[in-house]
Every structure is written in structure tokens, then in C-alpha cells.
Amino acid sequence: VALQVGINPWIMAFMSYVAINVWFVMYQNIQYATSYYLSANGEMVAHKQMVKLSIAYVIVTIIGLCVSVPVWQMTGMIR
């Protein structure tokens, strides 16, 4: 589908990977859950604190993807 609308499949894969890497709930991201339980089972940091960082990550991700669109257009990855 991406090729039919003029988008390089790499961009779709990259955007999907970046967008799903959030941790609003514990079981949503396996890397986050692993590091949370390895950090003294949550005694070093509270999940409530980390949700704030997840929101910041989402905002930075959206800004980064929007800024990347002109670059992808200049390189021919997007028509």
C-alpha cells in the first residue's frame, strides 16, 4: 500500500517502530517493563513519573516525524 501512494516502505516501518515505543501502561513496552522490574522492582522510580516521560517521548516523536517529512521528500523517499 505504501508504494502505491509513493511512500518508501522503510518510512512506514520506521514510523511504526517509533510510534509504538511508548509506555503509558506497564505491559505496553517489554523493554520498559524489564527495566522497571530490574530497578529494584519499582523502588527507584514510580510508574507515575515514567508516564510523564512517555508523554514527552510521544511529543518529541511527533515533532521529529513532522520535521523529517521534508527531508524524506528531498531524498525521494516520499513523492
Side-chain angles (χ1 to χ4, degrees):
V1 174
L3 287 174
Q4 294 172 351
V5 294
I7 300 174
N8 188 314
W10 181 88
I11 292 175
M12 297 303 295
F14 177 73
M15 289 174 55
S16 298
Y17 175 75
V18 171
I20 64 169
N21 204 16
V22 295
W23 55 90
F24 295 120
V25 292
M26 288 289 259
Y27 55 83
Q28 195 170 13
N29 186 318
I30 191 67
Q31 292 91 355
Y32 169 71
T34 303
S35 60
Y36 179 81
Y37 288 114
L38 287 176
S39 68
N41 203 17
E43 292 178 15
M44 296 176 71
V45 65
H47 179 67
K48 189 180 285 189
Q49 295 170 319
M50 298 307 291
V51 170
K52 293 176 185 176
L53 288 176
S54 181
I55 293 169
Y57 174 81
V58 169
I59 292 169
V60 169
T61 298
I62 291 171
I63 292 170
L65 290 174
C66 290
V67 169
S68 298
V69 170
V71 175
W72 292 332
Q73 288 173 334
M74 287 188 300
T75 59
M77 297 178 86
I78 297 177
R79 268 194 273 162

